[in-house]
Amino acid sequence: MFAFLALFAVVLAISPEIYVPVCLEAIIMWAQCVLPALFPFMVITLIMIKTGAIEGACSPLKGLAARLKVPPAAPALFVMSAFSGYPAGSRILSEYCINTKSRDTAALLAPLCSTSGPLFIIGSVGQNMFDDKLAGFYILAAHLVSVAAVSAAIMFKNPQKVLSAPPTRANGGNLLYDCFYSAVISVMVAGGFICFFYTLSAVAENLRLLCFVEAPLSLVLGSDAASALCRGLIEATGGCRALAACSSPLALPLAGFLITFGGASILLQQLCYLQPLGVSAGKFALIKAAQALLCFLLLLPSAFIF
């Protein structure tokens, strides 16, 4: 790992004319695609959790949760995650588990609270990248169904009785400031991850570091789609943009796969919040891969539509 990071640093140092523009491109992409889709919802959900409003939001859904044999807060947390997007869902879950002293539910709910948001999928990916808003709705539907179906199957197979303490409600005049400050820091950290991994994906592509994966994939997907997918496995937003630019009929299903899996950048962002709660990185990544595969299969008919 240290040798790889050293190589990355050396490449950046000797080729700034190539990678400084790439880094700036990543910052622009974050500002256009991620910041407006993430920040408002992050603020709203943090306020709801810290004031205890999430408990009220959970109440109407407790009957549904009981029938599905999932923790009472699961439906509300899923809805909040679905509106907020990566990595806000994991941050929401972390705040909720800490606020309600129910860390034991984190591993169970982590895959359910791992979703992209509608502004990103419909606006950034569908409208701006694929130039088709309807395609964005199609990806969003398949994405949410995949995440919910796999997560529900896991929770149904592993029922858990949740015992949690009453939520801690934040008091004082600093609540609004704390929520905004926390949201700003989270969004800036997400931008840092995107910038780093987007640049890393460009280095990996230029040095052919992923050729052992790209070569067999190109036999099935074509060279352009395989290259875009490999970039997306490192940084998903850039991978989706590259897929939209290629002519492969599988571009949309592959974009759904990347959005649902998240790539290294999004996975690591989520694990920053989840691992302190005891969530296994390997198991979480495997579940995300299963969700991504289901999303790809659900989107396969789009190869003949869009």
Side-chain angles (χ1 to χ4, degrees):
M1 176 61 72
F2 290 111
F4 178 77
L5 291 175
L7 174 63
F8 183 35
V10 169
V11 171
L12 295 180
I14 64 178
S15 304
E17 73 282 0
I18 297 176
Y19 297 109
V20 167
V22 170
C23 187
L24 292 174
E25 183 180 333
I27 294 172
I28 293 171
M29 185 177 64
W30 165 77
Q32 291 178 338
C33 300
V34 178
L35 177 60
L38 180 60
F39 179 71
F41 294 109
M42 179 74 82
V43 173
I44 293 168
T45 53
L46 285 175
I47 291 174
M48 290 184 67
I49 290 171
K50 290 185 179 295
T51 58
I54 181 64
E55 297 300 313
C58 293
S59 297
L61 300 172
K62 286 182 178 178
L64 174 63
R67 286 193 294 273
L68 295 175
K69 298 182 180 179
V70 300
L77 290 173
F78 173 68
V79 171
M80 294 172 70
S81 174
F83 274 102
S84 302
Y86 300 122
S90 297
R91 176 62 187 271
I92 291 166
L93 177 62
S94 175
E95 290 283 347
Y96 175 79
C97 289
I98 293 171
N99 206 49
T100 58
K101 300 181 178 62
S102 56
R103 292 171 183 254
D104 54 327
T105 65
L108 194 65
L109 295 179
L112 184 67
C113 297
S114 176
T115 62
S116 187
L119 289 181
F120 176 75
I121 296 179
I122 297 171
S124 299
V125 177
Q127 183 66 50
N128 296 339
M129 296 182 190
F130 282 90
D131 198 26
D132 191 335
K133 195 173 182 179
L134 181 60
F137 279 105
Y138 192 19
I139 295 175
L140 177 64
H143 170 68
L144 294 179
V145 168
S146 302
V147 170
V150 173
S151 301
I154 292 170
M155 288 187 284
F156 188 80
K157 186 178 178 181
N158 302 282
Q160 180 176 338
K161 185 177 181 181
V162 179
L163 298 174
S164 61
T168 303
R169 290 173 171 78
N171 296 311
N174 288 330
L175 170 63
L176 197 60
Y177 172 85
D178 290 343
C179 290
F180 270 86
Y181 179 82
S182 182
V184 167
I185 295 300
S186 297
V187 173
M188 293 296 290
V189 169
F193 269 91
I194 289 171
C195 185
F196 180 89
F197 283 96
Y198 186 85
T199 307
L200 178 62
S201 70
V203 172
E205 182 178 39
N206 292 339
L207 297 183
R208 305 291 294 170
L209 297 179
L210 296 177
C211 61
F212 65 95
V213 177
E214 186 176 332
L217 285 176
S218 63
L219 298 176
V220 180
L221 305 176
S223 58
D224 289 343
S227 175
L229 178 63
C230 287
R231 288 199 67 172
L233 292 175
I234 299 174
E235 201 289 304
T237 306
C240 288
R241 176 177 286 182
L243 283 168
C246 74
S247 57
S248 171
L250 293 175
L252 201 69
L254 290 173
F257 178 91
L258 288 180
I259 290 170
T260 307
F261 181 64
S265 175
I266 292 174
L267 284 173
L268 290 174
Q269 288 179 60
Q270 295 177 93
L271 288 170
C272 287
Y273 300 113
L274 297 176
Q275 282 197 303
L277 300 175
V279 175
S280 166
K283 186 176 180 180
F284 181 71
L286 285 175
I287 295 172
K288 291 303 299 175
Q291 293 173 338
L293 179 60
L294 178 57
C295 185
F296 174 81
L297 294 175
L298 292 175
L299 288 171
L300 267 181
S302 70
F304 309 98
I305 298 174
F306 296 99

